[in-house]
Amino acid sequence: TGDGNGGGLRHAHGGRLRRGGGGREVQRQRGDVERDGTLNSLVVTMGGTLSRTEMQSYLRGEGADSEMLALYFASEDQHFDHYTLQHHAAAHAHSDLLYKGVNSDESVGVFSGMIKVDLNAQKTDAYQKHRTLMLSSEARNFSVPQLEINANDVRCSHGSTTGPVDQEALFFLRSRGISKELAEKMLVTAFLAHQPALCLTLFILAMLVNALASGVSGLPFLEVVSKVVPPETRPRFFAVRNLYGGLLAFAAGLVVRWILASPLVDSSC
């Protein structure tokens, strides 16, 4: 992308394989970003037994910019593997990476991320962050952030955090009469949805609601609403819930497509 006139590309990919059945997915994507070009990529992984995703951004021209975002939710015996490369081959380029994952049951998550800066890529500005939420003591997550810097005038950083659900936040929700299972769902949703990009948040909404409509998982706010609905009207509420989820998924999908196709400012998407 980019030809010196500030060209840009926004790309989103959602893994929609269903759990179980031995579903497997392997994908590799690479973006070459020329002078003053912009690349925004997004990956969402939720289904399948085994998934491996390789995302690479190659910043070839001065002023090139790359943003790599991803979310994954692994449960049961799922295995999700993510490999990323931010390759800076030109000076005055910027890249930013944020991957968030959730592991529950006996699932396994793997993240291996590399920031590579070539000898002539001075004034490089590169960031990499991987955050994981662990919902089970049986789940495992392996995170390997890496730097390979061959220039001497750069600003690069990487980081990785892994931990359980915030117990104080969980206690606060439980003290308000919310069950432990529902409180954990709410905290997980908040963890995944808290992102700097508007397009990413909307895409998460579409994926989660679509999952609800297909029977994969439920959304916490629907369960909260069901608790406050009067008993005499609950049968009608549950009867229309699936229809509501399907319509909302369709509407959210249209909004996401519009966002990805619209000329929004870079700070928003």
Side-chain angles (χ1 to χ4, degrees):
T1 64
D3 55 3
N5 296 318
L9 172 67
R10 297 187 179 99
H11 174 75
H13 174 83
R16 295 295 296 120
L17 294 174
R18 289 186 176 273
R19 291 185 176 91
R24 292 174 172 83
E25 178 185 40
V26 178
Q27 66 157 324
R28 175 183 293 173
Q29 299 179 24
R30 167 173 162 162
D32 288 1
V33 190
E34 300 291 347
R35 180 180 176 183
D36 295 328
T38 301
L39 173 65
N40 301 99
S41 64
L42 164 67
V43 174
V44 178
T45 308
M46 297 176 65
T49 301
L50 173 64
S51 175
R52 176 174 173 84
T53 303
E54 298 183 10
M55 301 293 296
Q56 303 179 18
S57 64
Y58 188 17
L59 291 86
R60 301 165 59 94
E62 291 193 10
D65 186 273
S66 169
E67 182 183 51
M68 304 168 68
L69 305 170
L71 295 173
Y72 62 90
F73 190 107
S75 62
E76 300 176 358
D77 62 345
Q78 291 180 305
H79 183 115
F80 293 162
D81 190 346
H82 291 88
Y83 167 80
T84 67
L85 173 63
Q86 299 157 258
H87 189 168
H88 286 255
H92 299 280
H94 169 266
S95 68
D96 197 358
L97 179 146
L98 175 59
Y99 271 49
K100 282 188 176 183
V102 178
N103 283 99
S104 65
D105 303 324
E106 299 179 355
S107 64
V108 178
V110 179
F111 171 81
S112 178
M114 168 70 76
I115 296 178
K116 182 177 181 179
V117 182
D118 288 351
L119 181 63
N120 297 322
Q122 303 292 352
K123 301 297 183 181
T124 286
D125 194 12
Y127 302 91
Q128 178 192 107
K129 181 181 293 185
H130 176 232
R131 298 183 60 193
T132 310
L133 190 63
M134 308 298 289
L135 303 182
S136 168
S137 59
E138 302 296 324
R140 292 176 294 165
N141 193 281
F142 304 93
S143 183
V144 187
Q146 306 166 74
L147 296 176
E148 182 180 326
I149 302 176
N150 299 302
N152 58 10
D153 187 9
V154 301
R155 182 170 60 179
C156 300
S157 67
H158 63 178
S160 177
T161 60
T162 302
V165 171
D166 188 335
Q167 293 302 308
E168 291 187 3
L170 183 62
F171 175 79
F172 176 83
L173 294 175
R174 293 291 306 278
S175 66
R176 267 58 183 177
I178 300 176
S179 67
K180 181 179 180 180
E181 180 181 3
L182 178 55
E184 285 186 346
K185 286 184 178 181
M186 296 175 68
L187 292 175
V188 169
T189 302
F191 170 78
L192 292 177
H194 186 253
Q195 299 284 13
L198 174 60
C199 60
L200 179 57
T201 303
L202 291 175
F203 192 85
I204 296 168
L205 174 64
M207 291 294 292
L208 291 178
V209 178
N210 191 35
L212 168 67
S214 61
V216 175
S217 62
L219 285 181
F221 77 89
L222 286 178
E223 300 300 332
V224 173
V225 171
S226 69
K227 290 181 177 296
V228 300
V229 171
E232 61 274 12
T233 60
R234 285 180 183 175
R236 180 180 300 177
F237 169 81
F238 287 108
V240 302
R241 182 172 59 174
N242 289 338
L243 175 62
Y244 168 80
L247 293 175
L248 186 55
F250 176 75
L254 292 179
V255 172
V256 170
R257 288 189 178 185
W258 176 81
I259 289 292
L260 293 176
S262 63
L264 295 180
V265 295
D266 292 340
S267 60
S268 296
C269 274

